[in-house]
Each structure stands twice: as C-alpha cells, then as structure tokens.
Amino acid sequence: MGFILASLAFLVFLGLFPLTAPHSELWVEPLVALFAGGYLWRRGIRIWGGALLAFGAGDLLWSLEEVREVRENFLLELPYFLGYGLFTLGLLRLPGRPPRYALALLPLALAGLYGGLGVPAGVDRVYALWDALLLLLFLPRAERLLYNSNFKEALVLVGLLLFLVADLAYVLLEAQGGYPLGHPVHLLWTLSYLFWVLGFGPLAFRGFLGPGLVFLGLWAMPATLLGEQSPSGLRLLALYSTLVGGLGLLYADFLERRRIAEKQERWGQFLEHLTRLSPRVTQTLSPEALLLEALKAAQELWPEAVGLEVRARRGLVGERTSHAVPIPMNGDTAFLYFRAPPAQDFPGALSLLGERIRQGLRQMEWGAMALQDPLTGLWNRRGLELELPKLLALASRYAAPVSVAFLDIDRFKSVNDIHGHPVGDEVLRRLGAIIGASVRREDLAVRYGGEEFLLVLYGADLEAAREVVERIRARFQGERIPPIPHPLTLSAGVAGGRVPGSLEEMEEWILKADFALLRAKETGRNRVTFA
C-alpha cells in the first residue's frame, strides 16, 4: 500500500513540476498505459487491457511524432480508434441502472458536444463527439454506484471520469488556441490508467485507503486544471466535476450506511422470528404451522420468498417456483422458493433457518412421543387433555356438531391369555392403524386405556358418527391376525351429536359414551349403542 501511494505521489510530482511535465507527458504517460494494459491483459481482462495497450501505443506514436516533428498521418490515429472502440465496448459491458442522480453529470456531455463543434472538422472533432457519447454511456454506470457502494468499482468509474474529463479538456484547449505540451491535464490520463488497474486488479483495500484513492482522483481534476494555463471555462468544468463527483460519493456512502442499518434491522426481525420456531408442549404446533412460521422468518430477509418445502417430510407451505435455493438441514432436503431471484444475500441465514427448522421438527417429534401412544401412534389421555379444548374452540367458532364414540375389542383378554401378549399387541396395532386411516385431521383418535379407544368426531352428528364407527368395525372384523382363527369384533357406545357448549359438556358426553359401551357389552357385544 505504501508503495502505491509513493508511486502516485511521484507521478503527480512529475506531471506538475514544470521541468519534468513535458517528459512526463511524452514518456511516462504512454509507458504507464502500456504496463497497465499488459497487466490487465495477462489477468484475462482483455477488453480493458487491450484498450490501455492501444492508448499506450497511440500515445507513444504521438510522442515520437512530437520529438521528431513528424508530419501528422492518419495511420498514427489507428491505435486511438482501436482504443476508443474497446473503451466503448468495455463501458457497455459494465452493469448500470437508469440514471437519475447521475444526470448531474450531463453538463459534461453537453460541454463535450459544444467543444467538439468548436474544433475544426477532422479527427479531433470525431474524438470530441465520441467522448460526448461515452459520457452519456457513463451516466447509468455512475448511477449504479450510488446503490452498490464498492470502492473497487468506484476506482474504475473515477478512472473513466478522469479519462473523459481529460479528453474534454484537451478538446477545449485545442479550440481556444492549441494544446501546450506538458499541460497538467495529461496527469489525468496517467491517473486514469492506474485507477483502472487498481479497480480491476486483485488488490484489496482496507480502511481508508480505498475512499482516499477515490477522493484523490476527484481532487486531481481541479489540481491539474485550475492553473493559469487553463481558461476560465475549463476551470469551472473541473470544479463542477469534482463537486458533483464528491457529492455523489458522499451520497453513495449515506445510502450504504442506511442499507446497513436496514439490513441489521431485518436481521433482528429474522432472529426474533427464529426464537418463535420452538414448539412448546403446551402449544403443539403442527409441522405445517412450523414451516409457515419459518417462511415468515425468511420473508423478513427476503421479501421475494413465497414458499418453503421439506421434502423428506412432504411438507410444503406457500408455492413452489423455479427460483429455488437449498436450505442446509443435515441430511433432509429443503428448499426456499422465490418469486424472483433474491436481491440480497445474507450469508449464514439459510444455515440458521435450516438448523432451527430441524430442531423444531425434532422437538415436535419428542413432544408427540409424550402425547401419543407408542404402540398405536394415536393420542394418549394426556394428548386428549391438550387437544380437546382446541377441538371445542373450533366447533364453537363454526357451530359444528361433535360426536363421541367409545370402542372396545370384544374378548380381548382371551386373546392375551391364549395367544400371548405379542399377538395382543399386534391386534392393538392393527386396530390403531384402521382407526387412524378412518378419521380426519380435525378428529381426535385416542387409545384411552388397554383395549379401549375413544373417537371425538368434529362436524359429525350421531348418524355420521354411526357411519364412521361401522366402517371401523367392518374393516377390523375383516382383519386376519395369525394365529387367531376367528374374526375379531368391536363394541361401541356413541354420544353427543350436537354443538358442544362447554368443555364440561364434552366430558359428560365421554362418560355417556362409556356407559353406552358398557350396555353394548352387557347385551351381547359386537354392537353399537347410543346414549
């Protein structure tokens, strides 16, 4: 870094000191262009490297023409034409956005157009009009810098501005009496070549060095053009360019600070959402609800997010789109879907999101194990205590009837006594699977104890409850469970069938269904009794 600053200071001294300024323009400027172009060319930046090599060759031919007093020749202009062509191509390939604030630089293009029309028709007029066009192409690239503050990119753009202002100053000097050899304006070309190398090269700038170099480049314009050799119009142009460029960089810095503050606020909201992704046992979030909360957390960082999917669990909330980004989840396949490619990147956020989803799903599995019967996978009595108030609230909200049914396996004790408890466990598993496949998501299916099962059927009157119970009895009776030689049957008691008014009323229905089941058992089993 110290070498770079010392080199810049030495070049500035050579360009401004009266005795060395002519030699600086004749030899230092073309050599800097050739070395800078060769460096960029070797690094694979062929367009800008080729432009610098062409400008360096043109400057060297111009220097030889000045020293040997060679008569002007159109062939000597060919390197410049090549350089301008590559310069234009490189400028078109730089990203930009529609100019708004950068329109403040529009007077430079108008000045270039005015200066071009003021010189005699010929090559200089072509260069002047070409520079005016390049200034217009420069505006969208300068506008983008306001919204994407990057000092490497800023060095490239300041180098472009120095080059174009130097060309514009040359045209104005030619129009007002001729360009004197060794004029300080040549230093702007030299600095522009170096800024391109620093901006496109791999060198990283830390601390204040990057902004310092950018402001040094802007300061170079008034420093070289405010001398007595420059007409008043050129001095005004230099001051205006520096003022607009400086204010633009300050505004870009302001926007960057505001973006950082907004990004930090969004990070805070994202992390706050993540803390709510842990399902407590008292709330028992469903997997869909957990993924929906995760999607809302992601939308704090990426408003474009519209869907989230964990494929191993067949869980999808929102919508699936073609813009998918994988979420790391230690083995599970998960994706976050976007309406359009995300505008911003938040390193580490997807890993945090994936880990929180994984932990939440794992905690839900543990919570379900505490609330579910391990043999049948149905709710246990603790699960019933937690889920019954939710079903009551749902039924009250939509004025939906609820029915309660108790099921009991007939002569189950004899199955255990004759065939053993492993066969009895298989009978319970088969019945649990049949019940689970016969009820809906809103219903509650509970292993109440031993061979007794309780159904709380949402939106079902007594007739609908009878259909559900008979369907379960028919499927269970059709099961063949070796080594039991005969079909197994169920007895059932049903109660309710109305809109429940309170939790106490539903608990009363459970008792009535239990008594109805007892009557079915007493009257011969394998039947359904209503309370």
Side-chain angles (χ1 to χ4, degrees), residues 93-110:
R93 291 195 174 187
L94 290 178
R97 58 184 299 162
R100 181 182 175 190
Y101 297 104
L103 291 176
L105 293 171
L106 188 59
L108 297 183
L110 298 177

Side-chain angles (χ1 to χ4, degrees), residues 3-4 6-12 14-15 23-41 48-60 63 162-163 186-198:
F3 174 75
I4 293 175
S7 301
L8 288 174
F10 181 67
L11 290 175
V12 170
L14 291 179
H23 300 288
S24 173
E25 183 168 10
L26 287 172
W27 309 115
V28 175
E29 178 191 332
L31 290 178
V32 169
L34 290 172
F35 279 112
Y39 174 77
L40 293 181
W41 185 274
W48 292 101
L52 284 174
L53 288 172
F55 286 138
D59 289 342
L60 193 59
S63 299
L162 291 178
F163 181 91
H186 80 274
L187 187 59
L188 299 183
W189 283 307
T190 305
L191 291 177
S192 71
Y193 302 152
L194 290 175
F195 276 30
W196 291 350
V197 170
L198 295 175

Side-chain angles (χ1 to χ4, degrees), residues 25-26 29-31 33-34 50-66 75-83 127 193:
E25 183 168 10
L26 287 172
E29 178 191 332
L31 290 178
L34 290 172
L52 284 174
L53 288 172
F55 286 138
D59 289 342
L60 193 59
L61 291 176
W62 181 85
S63 299
L64 294 174
E65 179 185 330
E66 287 289 327
L75 294 177
L76 299 178
E77 303 295 333
L78 289 179
Y80 285 126
F81 278 112
L82 176 60
Y127 290 149
Y193 302 152

Side-chain angles (χ1 to χ4, degrees), residues 383-426:
L384 173 65
E385 293 172 1
L386 292 173
E387 293 297 318
L388 194 59
K390 298 179 184 179
L391 190 144
L392 171 64
L394 188 65
S396 300
R397 179 178 180 183
Y398 295 103
V402 174
S403 293
V404 176
F406 252 115
L407 306 176
D408 184 87
I409 304 174
D410 297 328
R411 299 180 178 86
F412 182 72
K413 184 176 183 302
S414 64
V415 171
N416 281 331
D417 293 342
I418 297 173
H419 303 288
H421 287 282
V423 175
D425 288 346
E426 180 62 22

Side-chain angles (χ1 to χ4, degrees), residues 325-346:
V325 175
I327 303 175
M329 279 190 59
N330 291 335
D332 283 345
T333 303
F335 293 95
L336 187 62
Y337 296 103
F338 295 88
R339 182 178 296 106
Q344 286 188 314
D345 182 28
F346 292 86

Side-chain angles (χ1 to χ4, degrees), residues 421-441:
H421 287 282
V423 175
D425 288 346
E426 180 62 22
V427 171
L428 293 173
R429 273 193 291 267
R430 295 279 187 96
L431 179 55
I434 291 171
I435 291 174
S438 301
V439 297
R440 299 162 304 169
R441 188 172 173 182

